């Protein structure tokens, strides 16, 4: 365990990848080897924790949480800002390790961006004001509602944004007086272990514990009697399993699950003006983002112009090994995801769709690189449209009637995000109001903000993250009346 420190030297203690690996890696001959998805080379060995380790971690967290909860919001916020300082001091090392393990490039909205977001989310949560709310104050008496710690938060993270989404779980939980036991994805444990090591340079011992291990360890975390709240980002299927597992102990849940976000381009849109923003809405993190734009509906009057503009943007975006500074697109993180993407594109091709670019991986190329792919003239019921591809592929569907486009956009059982693109903002807002999604963006897509609550509807989960509402979601409402 590490102890709280207030020295600049402590914050600067993990500034190289070698430093990070020395702090987290399993000894040679132990753990699970993690391979670079861009090169196939060894990144490091992830330790594998057991259910006995989990029991110890939860007991430690419960003990640490008591004194942490006794601190004021101001004291906890001060340490969150110190944690942000620590992330910034180790930022380049964290980004390099993340790039090697997850595959995402250093540049573009990728590894350096993700590490920067970790610091930004820590500072944002430190700065939110949350005070008791007066509910009644009249001749009948007074009532107020306050928010008190839940206790121990169990967090299970994904492999696509492993550091940033871990901070989405950690920062509000700590701010509200909780401790966190976090189980990272089996695909990207080193990145999250490294982030935990950096944070634990400055935070009190036992508040954050990262336990890498197999899926069974995550299942044990969801069922553990000593865990009071669960936060999960991942697939709908796993989220449903977590709900069942959490039922016996009535754990509170925040579930951010799968999405298949639709975007609608209105007839008055300017394809050239919006093309780059549409591209990054779809291809951020090489398409491996829950709230990425995954199916684009374009009015027939703008269809060819929109396709042409997107091809022009896509052709300028280099894909390759993440540590090479020129690249902004990388590999898929694992072979399973590569195979899913390849299969969906083949379905589209076999269904008569037109491949505007991409669609043909280079044979025998090292790494899980799938080329940037744009698919036109595709039916709305093709699997590439109706199933989440989670990769660098965008199907572009032509529509003639706006009501039909809205029905198509709403026609799936998921509803994380959506977007509307056009120049008449009143019309765009009217369309946005008809879309069934937790968030609808106008003339942008996937632009999350730590101040703005975020969550899904339908099978995309429930509960809110970010902002004051996110703080409330990792706390218990306490009403006092007199």
């Amino acid at each position: 365990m590490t102890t709280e420190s207030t020295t600049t030297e402590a914050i600067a203690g993990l500034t190289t990848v070698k430093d990070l690996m020395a702090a987290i890696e399993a000894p040679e001959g132990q753990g699970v080897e993690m391979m670079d998805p861009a090169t196939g080379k060894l990144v490091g060995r992830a330790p594998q924790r057991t259910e006995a380790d989990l029991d110890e971690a939860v007991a430690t967290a419960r003990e640490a949480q008591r004194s942490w909860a006794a601190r004021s919001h101001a004291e906890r916020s001060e340490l969150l800002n110190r944690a942000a300082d620590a992330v910034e001091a180790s930022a380049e090392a964290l980004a390099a390790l993340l790039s090697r393990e997850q595959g995402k490039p250093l540049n573009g909205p990728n590894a350096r961006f993700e590490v920067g977001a970790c610091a930004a989310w820590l500072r944002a949560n430190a700065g939110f004001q949350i005070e008791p709310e007066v509910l009644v104050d009249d001749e009948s008496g007074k009532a107020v509602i306050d928010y008190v710690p839940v206790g121990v938060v169990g967090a299970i993270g994904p492999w696509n944004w492993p550091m940033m989404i871990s901070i989405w779980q950690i920062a509000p939980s700590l701010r509200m007086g909780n401790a966190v036991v976090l189980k990272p994805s089996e695909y990207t444990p080193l990145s999250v272990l490294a982030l935990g090591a950096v944070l634990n340079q400055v935070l009190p011992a036992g508040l954050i514990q990262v336990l890498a291990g197999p899926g069974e360890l995550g299942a044990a975390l969801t069922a553990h009697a000593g865990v009071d709240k669960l936060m999960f980002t991942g697939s709908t299927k796993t989220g449903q399993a977590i709900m069942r597992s959490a039922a016996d102990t009535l754990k509170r849940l925040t579930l951010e699950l799968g999405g298949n976000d639709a975007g609608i381009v209105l007839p008055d849109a300017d394809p050239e003006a919006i093309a780059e923003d549409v591209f990054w809405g779809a291809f951020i993190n090489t398409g491996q983002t829950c709230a990425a734009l995954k199916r684009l509906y374009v009015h027939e009057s703008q269809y060819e112009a929109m396709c042409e503009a997107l091809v022009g943007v896509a052709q300028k975006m280099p894909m390759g090994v993440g540590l090479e500074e020129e690249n902004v697109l990388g590999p898929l993180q694992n072979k399973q995801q590569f195979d899913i993407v390849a299969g969906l594109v083949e379905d589209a091709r076999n269904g008569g769709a037109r491949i505007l670019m991409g669609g043909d991986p280079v044979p025998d190329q090292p790494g899980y690189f799938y080329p940037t792919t744009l698919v036109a003239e595709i039916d709305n019921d093709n699997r590439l449209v109706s199933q989440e591809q989670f990769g660098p592929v965008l199907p572009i569907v032509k529509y003639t009637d706006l009501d039909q486009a809205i029905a198509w956009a709403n026609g799936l059982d998921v509803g994380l995000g959506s977007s509307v693109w056009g120049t008449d903002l009143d019309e765009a807002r009217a369309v946005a109001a008809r879309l069934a999604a937790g968030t609808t963006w106008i003339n942008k897509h996937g632009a999350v903000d730590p101040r703005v609550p975020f969550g899904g509807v339908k099978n995309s989960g429930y509960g809110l993250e970010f902002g004051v509402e996110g703080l409330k979601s990792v706390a218990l409402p306490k009403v006092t009346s007199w």
Side-chain angles (χ1 to χ4, degrees):
M1 292 291 181
T2 57
T3 56
E4 181 180 346
S5 170
T6 57
T7 65
T8 302
E9 289 77 13
I11 295 179
L14 297 170
T15 57
T16 69
V17 173
K18 183 178 179 180
D19 293 335
L20 292 172
M21 295 304 292
I24 65 172
E25 191 174 15
E28 189 169 353
Q30 299 181 29
V32 173
E33 291 185 340
M34 309 309 300
M35 314 306 287
D36 186 331
T39 65
K41 296 179 179 178
L42 178 68
V43 179
R45 298 173 301 277
Q48 297 294 285
R49 302 307 182 196
T50 66
E51 290 191 31
D53 295 321
L54 175 62
D55 289 339
E56 182 180 351
V58 171
T60 299
R62 297 200 76 81
E63 182 63 29
Q65 189 268 335
R66 293 187 184 96
S67 57
W68 181 246
R71 299 196 187 207
S72 67
H73 281 296
E75 291 173 314
R76 296 197 292 258
S77 291
E78 181 181 356
L79 277 165
L80 285 186
N81 281 317
R82 287 273 296 157
D85 292 341
V87 170
E88 289 168 346
S90 298
E92 194 63 15
L94 288 170
L97 176 57
L98 176 62
S99 180
R100 291 183 61 204
E101 184 180 44
Q102 201 281 337
K104 63 183 66 185
L106 291 171
N107 292 319
N110 292 299
R112 289 181 176 128
F113 169 87
E114 179 167 351
V115 175
C118 290
W121 249 263
L122 285 162
R123 295 197 193 285
N125 278 272
F128 294 140
Q129 298 299 311
I130 182 164
E131 301 291 342
E133 302 169 28
V134 177
L135 306 174
V136 174
D137 188 6
D138 59 22
E139 65 280 359
S140 68
K142 189 169 184 177
V144 300
I145 186 169
D146 201 356
Y147 291 87
V148 300
V150 172
V152 174
V153 174
I156 302 175
W159 51 258
N160 58 333
W161 296 93
M163 292 184 183
M164 183 175 71
I165 291 177
S166 293
I167 288 295
W168 291 358
Q169 298 164 332
I170 289 169
S173 297
L174 293 188
R175 169 63 195 282
M176 296 307 290
N178 306 297
V180 179
V181 178
L182 193 154
K183 194 272 179 190
S185 166
E186 299 97 303
Y187 289 112
T188 51
L190 297 175
S191 299
V192 183
L193 286 165
L195 177 64
V198 168
L199 298 174
N200 280 327
Q201 293 177 105
V202 298
L203 292 172
L207 274 186
I208 298 176
Q209 296 174 81
V210 181
L211 277 67
E216 292 79 7
L217 185 66
L221 177 62
T222 67
H224 202 289
V227 173
D228 304 291
K229 157 108 187 172
L230 287 169
M231 302 183 75
F232 171 73
T233 297
S235 72
T236 297
K237 182 178 179 181
T238 303
Q240 291 166 332
I242 286 172
M243 289 186 69
R244 288 189 288 269
S245 177
D248 286 345
T249 51
L250 290 178
K251 289 180 175 59
R252 286 149 179 82
L253 300 174
T254 297
L255 302 175
E256 195 262 87
L257 307 179
N260 193 344
D261 288 12
I264 297 178
V265 178
L266 299 177
D268 70 343
D270 180 346
E272 287 290 337
I274 67 174
E276 187 162 345
D277 287 334
V278 170
F279 176 86
W280 282 119
F283 290 90
I284 184 172
N285 195 28
T286 314
Q288 299 166 107
T289 298
C290 294
L293 173 57
K294 298 188 174 77
R295 47 197 174 112
L296 185 66
Y297 297 100
V298 182
H299 189 264
E300 60 183 355
S301 65
Q302 300 282 35
Y303 191 79
E304 292 302 329
M306 191 75 248
C307 289
E308 183 178 341
L310 283 171
V311 169
V313 171
Q315 288 174 337
K316 299 174 184 177
M317 301 298 177
M319 175 182 285
V321 176
L323 294 180
E324 297 172 359
E325 296 278 351
E326 69 272 17
N327 293 321
V328 294
L329 298 169
L332 290 159
Q333 202 285 322
N334 54 78
K335 186 178 187 304
Q336 179 182 7
Q337 195 58 41
F338 179 95
D339 290 343
I340 289 171
V341 171
L344 290 173
V345 173
E346 282 309 299
D347 271 7
R349 196 194 312 269
N350 294 336
R354 175 162 54 108
I355 309 297
L356 297 175
M357 64 177 290
D360 293 304
V362 177
D364 302 320
Q365 179 185 30
Y368 303 124
F369 288 98
Y370 196 91
T372 306
T373 301
L374 295 168
V375 181
E377 305 298 342
I378 186 169
D379 293 334
N380 186 60
D381 60 359
N382 189 281
R383 284 204 317 140
L384 180 59
V385 180
S386 63
Q387 295 186 20
E388 182 181 27
Q389 69 272 46
F390 218 69
V393 180
L394 180 64
I396 308 167
V397 182
K398 184 187 298 183
Y399 75 89
T400 57
D401 178 75
L402 180 58
D403 288 339
Q404 179 67 81
I406 293 170
W408 282 343
N410 290 339
L412 302 182
D413 60 2
V414 288
L416 191 56
S418 61
S419 57
V420 182
W421 305 78
T423 55
D424 184 335
L425 292 183
D426 289 337
E427 172 69 7
R429 283 193 292 268
V431 174
R434 297 174 63 189
L435 294 178
T439 299
T440 298
W441 294 277
I442 294 176
N443 292 327
K444 55 186 176 181
H445 195 107
V448 294
D449 185 310
R451 301 166 298 180
V452 180
F454 177 74
V457 299
K458 298 193 281 188
N459 283 358
S460 290
Y462 59 80
L464 289 173
E465 300 177 272
F466 313 164
V468 172
E469 292 302 316
L471 295 183
K472 291 177 181 179
S473 78
V474 288
L476 298 175
K478 169 69 175 179
V479 175
T480 307
S481 184
W482 64 95

